[in-house]
Amino acid sequence: MDFQEFEHLIESAANEINLTEDVIFDDEDICAIDLDTEGLVIDGNNHVIDGNGKSSFFNVKASSITLKNIIFRNAYCEFSGGAIRNEGDLTIEDCKFCDNTSDEFGGAIYNAPNSKLTIKCCEFKNNKSDYGGAIYLDSNSILKLDGSVFESNT
C-alpha cells in the first residue's frame, strides 16, 4: 500500500484500522498524516510503515489514539518527531522504531508540550536526532514507559 492509500484509509473515519500489508512512502507531495479521530486504533499486525528517509508518519492531534503492532522504519522529519509528533494523548504498544531521524528533536517521537505518551513493550533502535535520539519530551509533557528496550539511539 502506498502512503496516499494509507492516508485515505485513515480519513475514512473508521475507529479501528487493521493493516494487511506494509505501507511504503513513495510520493514526494505527501507528508505526515494528521491523526485527529478520537479513539482511533491502528493495529499494524506487525507490518512495516517505511518512510524511505523522506517523510514522518503521524501528527497526533486527538486524545485516546492507540498504535500497536507496527514497525516504524526510515522516517525523517526536519524539525521534530522523525516518525511521530504527538500533540495529544497517544498509547503505543508492541511497536518497533528503527532507523528514524529528526534533525532537531526526537529521532522517533517528539512529545509536544502538555501532551501524554504511554509506551508499552516497544523497541527503539538506531534512531537519531540532535536532542532525544529515540524520544524527546518537551515541557509539561508526560511519558509513561513500561517494558521497552532502547538500543543505539543517538
Side-chain angles (χ1 to χ4, degrees):
M1 174 184 316
D2 68 26
F3 214 61
Q4 189 171 25
E5 291 173 291
F6 186 45
E7 183 175 35
H8 290 303
L9 182 61
I10 289 170
E11 291 174 350
S12 72
N15 284 336
E16 186 163 345
I17 296 169
N18 290 288
L19 293 182
T20 58
E21 61 184 304
D22 292 348
V23 177
I24 309 297
F25 181 84
D26 63 353
D27 188 337
E28 297 291 329
D29 295 329
I30 296 182
C31 58
I33 299 168
D34 287 340
L35 299 183
D36 52 11
T37 301
E38 299 293 327
L40 175 66
V41 175
I42 300 176
D43 187 337
N45 293 303
N46 295 312
H47 285 285
V48 173
I49 301 178
D50 191 324
N52 279 327
K54 298 178 183 176
S55 179
S56 60
F57 303 128
F58 300 127
N59 291 319
V60 176
K61 297 184 177 269
S63 59
S64 302
I65 301 285
T66 300
L67 306 175
K68 59 185 182 180
N69 306 311
I70 302 170
I71 301 166
F72 296 96
R73 173 172 80 195
N74 298 321
Y76 171 75
C77 182
E78 185 176 346
F79 184 64
S80 59
I84 298 170
R85 177 183 174 91
N86 179 37
E87 298 176 12
D89 184 347
L90 174 63
T91 298
I92 303 172
E93 302 173 357
D94 299 306
C95 291
K96 295 180 181 178
F97 292 83
C98 307
D99 303 309
N100 301 292
T101 302
S102 169
D103 289 342
E104 294 288 328
F105 303 102
I109 301 171
Y110 170 78
N111 209 38
N114 304 309
S115 59
K116 180 180 175 188
L117 176 62
T118 302
I119 298 174
K120 301 175 185 175
C121 302
C122 292
E123 179 181 320
F124 293 82
K125 186 174 181 180
N126 296 326
N127 300 287
K128 300 175 188 172
S129 182
D130 286 347
Y131 303 98
I135 301 169
Y136 183 85
L137 302 174
D138 214 325
S139 59
N140 299 318
S141 66
I142 297 170
L143 172 64
K144 292 182 181 179
L145 185 61
D146 183 32
S148 296
V149 175
F150 294 79
E151 180 182 329
S152 301
N153 299 286
T154 56

